[in-house]
Short mmCIF file of all heavy atoms in Angstrom, two decimals:
data_model
loop_
_atom_site.label_atom_id
_atom_site.label_comp_id
_atom_site.label_asym_id
_atom_site.label_seq_id
_atom_site.Cartn_x
_atom_site.Cartn_y
_atom_site.Cartn_z
N THR A 69 73.53 -45.29 95.24
CA THR A 69 73.82 -46.61 95.79
C THR A 69 72.51 -47.40 95.86
O THR A 69 71.45 -46.83 96.13
CB THR A 69 74.46 -46.54 97.18
OG1 THR A 69 74.70 -47.87 97.66
CG2 THR A 69 73.58 -45.82 98.18
N THR A 70 72.61 -48.69 95.62
CA THR A 70 71.45 -49.57 95.76
C THR A 70 71.63 -50.55 96.90
O THR A 70 70.77 -51.40 97.14
CB THR A 70 71.20 -50.35 94.45
OG1 THR A 70 72.36 -51.10 94.12
CG2 THR A 70 70.85 -49.40 93.32
N ASN A 71 72.75 -50.41 97.62
CA ASN A 71 73.04 -51.35 98.71
C ASN A 71 73.37 -50.61 100.01
O ASN A 71 74.20 -51.06 100.79
CB ASN A 71 74.17 -52.28 98.32
CG ASN A 71 75.41 -51.55 97.81
OD1 ASN A 71 75.63 -50.39 98.17
ND2 ASN A 71 76.20 -52.20 96.97
N GLY A 72 72.72 -49.48 100.22
CA GLY A 72 72.87 -48.77 101.48
C GLY A 72 74.17 -48.05 101.68
O GLY A 72 74.50 -47.67 102.80
N GLY A 73 74.96 -47.88 100.61
CA GLY A 73 76.20 -47.13 100.72
C GLY A 73 77.45 -47.98 100.66
O GLY A 73 78.56 -47.45 100.81
N ASN A 74 77.31 -49.28 100.42
CA ASN A 74 78.51 -50.12 100.27
C ASN A 74 79.29 -49.75 99.02
O ASN A 74 80.52 -49.75 99.02
CB ASN A 74 78.12 -51.60 100.24
CG ASN A 74 77.62 -52.10 101.59
OD1 ASN A 74 78.10 -51.67 102.63
ND2 ASN A 74 76.64 -52.97 101.57
N THR A 75 78.57 -49.46 97.94
CA THR A 75 79.20 -49.03 96.68
C THR A 75 78.34 -47.93 96.06
O THR A 75 77.13 -47.86 96.30
CB THR A 75 79.34 -50.19 95.68
OG1 THR A 75 78.04 -50.75 95.42
CG2 THR A 75 80.27 -51.25 96.21
N TRP A 76 79.00 -47.09 95.26
CA TRP A 76 78.32 -45.96 94.63
C TRP A 76 78.68 -45.91 93.14
O TRP A 76 79.79 -46.27 92.75
CB TRP A 76 78.75 -44.63 95.27
CG TRP A 76 78.45 -44.53 96.74
CD1 TRP A 76 79.23 -44.96 97.78
CD2 TRP A 76 77.28 -43.95 97.33
NE1 TRP A 76 78.63 -44.69 98.98
CE2 TRP A 76 77.43 -44.06 98.75
CE3 TRP A 76 76.14 -43.34 96.82
CZ2 TRP A 76 76.49 -43.60 99.63
CZ3 TRP A 76 75.19 -42.87 97.71
CH2 TRP A 76 75.37 -43.00 99.10
N THR A 77 77.75 -45.43 92.33
CA THR A 77 78.00 -45.25 90.90
C THR A 77 77.46 -43.89 90.47
O THR A 77 76.58 -43.31 91.12
CB THR A 77 77.32 -46.34 90.05
OG1 THR A 77 75.90 -46.31 90.28
CG2 THR A 77 77.87 -47.72 90.40
N THR A 78 77.97 -43.39 89.34
CA THR A 78 77.48 -42.14 88.77
C THR A 78 77.43 -42.26 87.26
O THR A 78 78.21 -43.02 86.66
CB THR A 78 78.38 -40.95 89.16
OG1 THR A 78 77.79 -39.74 88.66
CG2 THR A 78 79.78 -41.09 88.58
N ASN A 79 76.52 -41.50 86.65
CA ASN A 79 76.48 -41.42 85.19
C ASN A 79 76.26 -39.98 84.73
O ASN A 79 75.76 -39.73 83.64
CB ASN A 79 75.39 -42.33 84.61
CG ASN A 79 73.99 -41.92 85.05
OD1 ASN A 79 73.83 -40.97 85.80
ND2 ASN A 79 72.99 -42.65 84.60
N THR A 80 76.64 -39.03 85.60
CA THR A 80 76.39 -37.62 85.30
C THR A 80 77.63 -36.86 84.85
O THR A 80 77.63 -35.63 84.80
CB THR A 80 75.78 -36.91 86.52
OG1 THR A 80 76.65 -37.07 87.64
CG2 THR A 80 74.41 -37.47 86.86
N ASP A 81 78.70 -37.58 84.51
CA ASP A 81 79.96 -36.90 84.16
C ASP A 81 79.83 -36.00 82.94
O ASP A 81 80.61 -35.06 82.78
CB ASP A 81 81.06 -37.93 83.91
CG ASP A 81 81.54 -38.59 85.19
OD1 ASP A 81 81.10 -38.16 86.27
OD2 ASP A 81 82.35 -39.52 85.11
N GLN A 82 78.88 -36.30 82.06
CA GLN A 82 78.78 -35.55 80.81
C GLN A 82 77.72 -34.44 80.85
O GLN A 82 77.44 -33.81 79.83
CB GLN A 82 78.47 -36.50 79.65
CG GLN A 82 79.51 -37.58 79.45
CD GLN A 82 80.91 -37.03 79.30
OE1 GLN A 82 81.13 -36.05 78.56
NE2 GLN A 82 81.88 -37.62 79.97
N LEU A 83 77.14 -34.18 82.01
CA LEU A 83 76.22 -33.06 82.11
C LEU A 83 76.98 -31.75 81.94
O LEU A 83 78.16 -31.65 82.27
CB LEU A 83 75.50 -33.06 83.46
CG LEU A 83 74.54 -34.22 83.74
CD1 LEU A 83 73.91 -34.05 85.11
CD2 LEU A 83 73.47 -34.33 82.67
N THR A 84 76.29 -30.72 81.45
CA THR A 84 76.92 -29.42 81.27
C THR A 84 77.54 -28.92 82.57
O THR A 84 78.64 -28.38 82.59
CB THR A 84 75.89 -28.40 80.77
OG1 THR A 84 75.28 -28.91 79.58
CG2 THR A 84 76.53 -27.06 80.48
N VAL A 85 76.82 -29.09 83.67
CA VAL A 85 77.32 -28.78 85.01
C VAL A 85 77.12 -30.02 85.85
O VAL A 85 76.01 -30.53 85.94
CB VAL A 85 76.56 -27.58 85.63
CG1 VAL A 85 76.87 -27.47 87.11
CG2 VAL A 85 76.90 -26.29 84.91
N ILE A 86 78.19 -30.55 86.44
CA ILE A 86 78.04 -31.78 87.22
C ILE A 86 77.88 -31.50 88.70
O ILE A 86 77.78 -32.44 89.49
CB ILE A 86 79.21 -32.76 86.97
CG1 ILE A 86 80.55 -32.15 87.35
CG2 ILE A 86 79.22 -33.23 85.53
CD1 ILE A 86 81.69 -33.16 87.29
N GLY A 87 77.84 -30.24 89.11
CA GLY A 87 77.50 -29.93 90.48
C GLY A 87 76.00 -30.08 90.67
O GLY A 87 75.21 -29.80 89.76
N CYS A 88 75.58 -30.54 91.84
CA CYS A 88 74.14 -30.63 92.13
C CYS A 88 73.90 -30.40 93.61
O CYS A 88 74.73 -30.74 94.45
CB CYS A 88 73.56 -31.95 91.67
SG CYS A 88 74.50 -33.42 92.08
N SER A 89 72.77 -29.79 93.91
CA SER A 89 72.50 -29.35 95.27
C SER A 89 71.25 -29.97 95.88
O SER A 89 71.03 -29.83 97.09
CB SER A 89 72.38 -27.82 95.32
OG SER A 89 71.43 -27.36 94.39
N ASP A 90 70.42 -30.66 95.09
CA ASP A 90 69.27 -31.37 95.66
C ASP A 90 68.63 -32.22 94.58
O ASP A 90 68.85 -32.00 93.38
CB ASP A 90 68.24 -30.40 96.23
CG ASP A 90 67.31 -31.06 97.26
OD1 ASP A 90 67.54 -32.24 97.59
OD2 ASP A 90 66.36 -30.40 97.73
N ILE A 91 67.84 -33.19 95.01
CA ILE A 91 67.05 -34.00 94.10
C ILE A 91 65.68 -34.22 94.74
O ILE A 91 65.57 -34.37 95.96
CB ILE A 91 67.74 -35.35 93.80
CG1 ILE A 91 67.10 -36.03 92.60
CG2 ILE A 91 67.76 -36.26 95.01
CD1 ILE A 91 67.88 -37.23 92.09
N ALA A 92 64.63 -34.18 93.92
CA ALA A 92 63.26 -34.43 94.39
C ALA A 92 62.72 -35.62 93.60
O ALA A 92 62.76 -35.62 92.36
CB ALA A 92 62.38 -33.21 94.19
N ILE A 93 62.21 -36.63 94.30
CA ILE A 93 61.78 -37.88 93.68
C ILE A 93 60.27 -38.03 93.84
O ILE A 93 59.73 -37.85 94.94
CB ILE A 93 62.51 -39.07 94.31
CG1 ILE A 93 64.03 -38.88 94.18
CG2 ILE A 93 62.10 -40.38 93.66
CD1 ILE A 93 64.85 -39.93 94.92
N ASP A 94 59.60 -38.36 92.76
CA ASP A 94 58.15 -38.55 92.75
C ASP A 94 57.80 -39.75 93.63
O ASP A 94 58.21 -40.87 93.35
CB ASP A 94 57.69 -38.79 91.31
CG ASP A 94 56.17 -38.85 91.17
OD1 ASP A 94 55.49 -39.17 92.16
OD2 ASP A 94 55.68 -38.58 90.06
#
């Protein structure tokens, strides 16, 4: 989300596994 959670988008539908458990951002 870019607006604090009012709307959400995804583009990971085509990953081999679409489950995810964490993200680390530089």
